[in-house]
Amino acid sequence: RDLPSLGMLSVVAPQLSLSTAHVVGARRAPAVQMAAGPMYDQPLAPSTMGREFINSARKPLSEYVGASQELAAFPGGGGKEGAAPVPWDPLQLSELWKVSANNPDVAWLREAELKHGRMSMLAITGVMVQSAGIHLPGNADISFANADWAMAPTTLPPAAWGQVLFFIGLAEGQTSAGLFDLWLGNTEKREPGNLGWGTQFLSKDKKAADKMRLKELKNGRLAMLAIMGVAFNHVIPGALPGCMYN
């Protein structure tokens, strides 16, 4: 019978013929299994929901910059005795794609992590700058003098919010090429987190470039914790002892 989505097949596994896809989806046990049990031995996804893509070659979590091998000594990491350490993933979120193509690949999760980290770095920097009394000049219609970071957005007029939303939509639209391919693990069109901005400043040496990528990732993770702490401290005063930002 015909496959439900030839377009998706061409994106995820263009090298597979139609007959090969049927063999992969129906006749062969998953060759990329990293765990055992009904969830992996008998995937929940029927052939019309992505089972044919379960065995597609995917980049494992261990090959991504910033995979937390430092935590391999804790439950969920380390692998067998004498084996190389594996990334810490106790909930096996990086393997959800094996259940169904409706679940995201690690590439999509990394894109989401980088985007949240970048937004958090901007957010916590904004909180610190505003709280220090440094503001944009503004004009007669718009004032940026409100130091309360939580309430300041409510003081902007609709026209200002329209400009903000327009810029967000423009930026998201211009950088969306290949975005949804990441859901299925295809990174040919787009590297997770690469918006095409600033790549010229990265070193041509892969190891040096990966070090910079790791720094961004770790700073983003720290910023996510920081802005969450400040937010909780605002809603529940004293929730973060010693925090100077409310």
Side-chain angles (χ1 to χ4, degrees):
R1 62 177 183 274
D2 293 335
L3 287 176
S5 177
L6 296 182
M8 186 179 294
L9 178 62
S10 65
V11 170
V12 179
Q15 73 279 11
L16 295 179
S17 65
L18 198 58
S19 59
T20 305
H22 280 289
V23 171
V24 169
R27 299 180 188 173
R28 193 178 71 185
V32 289
Q33 282 187 198
M34 295 176 63
M39 180 180 293
Y40 298 98
D41 297 334
Q42 298 176 347
L44 301 178
S47 59
T48 56
M49 293 177 62
R51 179 177 288 190
E52 60 269 29
F53 304 121
I54 288 179
N55 283 331
S56 300
R58 305 287 184 102
K59 182 179 178 180
L61 177 61
S62 59
E63 294 184 12
Y64 282 86
V65 173
S68 299
Q69 293 187 3
E70 299 92 339
L71 298 175
F74 292 85
K80 297 181 180 179
E81 185 176 356
V86 296
W88 188 70
D89 184 18
L91 299 180
Q92 295 183 320
L93 299 178
S94 62
E95 299 180 22
L96 283 175
W97 62 270
K98 296 180 182 179
V99 182
S100 168
N102 292 329
N103 294 328
D105 183 80
V106 181
W108 176 278
L109 299 177
R110 173 49 57 88
E111 172 84 18
E113 181 181 24
L114 282 169
K115 178 169 287 189
H116 282 82
R118 290 164 179 170
M119 294 302 297
S120 296
M121 286 188 281
L122 289 172
I124 192 65
T125 301
V127 169
M128 292 188 292
V129 170
Q130 285 283 96
S131 300
I134 303 173
H135 310 283
L136 294 173
N139 55 38
D141 299 318
I142 302 177
S143 173
F144 295 102
N146 191 345
D148 185 349
W149 64 270
M151 298 302 297
T154 63
T155 64
L156 292 180
W161 268 113
Q163 294 178 36
V164 171
L165 295 177
F166 175 77
F167 175 79
I168 292 174
L170 184 63
E172 290 290 331
Q174 290 293 320
T175 60
S176 63
L179 177 61
F180 292 101
D181 291 343
L182 298 180
W183 188 275
L184 296 173
N186 187 293
T187 57
E188 293 181 359
K189 295 181 181 178
R190 179 194 186 97
E191 179 187 2
N194 186 355
L195 304 181
W197 303 342
T199 53
Q200 67 273 20
F201 299 110
L202 284 175
S203 172
K204 302 301 180 183
D205 180 71
K206 186 179 184 304
K207 288 186 177 180
D210 283 348
K211 284 185 178 180
M212 292 302 296
R213 293 188 178 97
L214 182 59
K215 289 178 181 180
E216 179 191 26
L217 193 62
K218 288 189 172 183
N219 278 281
R221 290 169 177 172
L222 180 61
M224 285 189 278
L225 293 174
I227 194 63
M228 282 192 293
V230 171
F232 276 113
N233 198 61
H234 177 82
V235 177
I236 309 175
L240 187 62
C243 180
M244 64 178 67
Y245 305 113
N246 294 314

